[in-house]
Amino acid sequence: MSDRSLRGMRLGAQSMESEAGVEPAARQRVEYRTEDGETVFVVFAAEAEIPAVWHTKTGKEAKLVHGEAQMEEANNEKPVRTHWDMLLERRSEEELEKTLADRLKQLRAARGETV
């Protein structure tokens, strides 16, 4: 009975294709460095856009050591506008203080408090 059994490869266990003649995509190795001096190397495809900041496995933020992307990204960043900045664009501080006083007066009147 054993001489009649089929022999062959297991399904999905091995590929019949070889890697002969296959060329991997062009790559570039990029260096990043954290503020505390930790160096991180990341491999990207040659045509990939290189980010100026990379988050390491330890959760730290590393910056690109060499390259133009760091300069371009720094120039394209807009300054952060907080809620307070946007509020001051519409109202002066005197107007805001008057509005606050009016609202506090309304709130105290609604609670039945005396001033």
Side-chain angles (χ1 to χ4, degrees):
M1 182 104 177
S2 65
D3 58 343
R4 294 175 51 195
S5 64
L6 295 174
R7 292 186 181 169
M9 294 178 55
R10 292 169 279 169
L11 289 176
Q14 295 174 341
S15 174
M16 297 299 288
E17 295 181 17
S18 68
E19 294 193 17
V22 176
E23 293 182 31
R27 301 176 187 186
Q28 57 181 328
R29 188 173 185 223
V30 181
E31 182 181 0
Y32 289 92
R33 191 168 295 132
T34 61
E35 288 185 10
D36 61 350
E38 180 184 350
T39 303
V40 179
F41 292 98
V42 183
V43 178
F44 290 100
E47 63 271 358
E49 290 184 28
I50 308 300
V53 176
W54 187 263
H55 294 282
T56 65
K57 292 180 182 179
T58 57
K60 298 176 186 172
E61 197 171 86
K63 295 185 181 180
L64 185 62
V65 174
H66 302 289
E68 298 171 7
Q70 187 174 13
M71 294 297 212
E72 290 174 10
E73 199 164 303
N75 293 339
N76 291 339
E77 289 182 14
K78 293 181 179 178
V80 178
R81 285 177 45 197
T82 64
H83 179 73
W84 180 250
D85 294 333
M86 290 184 271
L87 190 61
L88 288 178
E89 289 174 6
R90 296 187 308 253
R91 306 253 193 292
S92 67
E93 287 193 39
E94 294 80 25
E95 287 178 296
L96 292 172
E97 288 176 9
K98 184 179 180 299
T99 304
L100 177 62
D102 291 343
R103 293 295 176 178
L104 286 173
K105 191 182 295 181
Q106 287 178 359
L107 180 65
R108 289 179 180 137
R111 291 183 179 173
E113 297 176 9
T114 58
V115 179

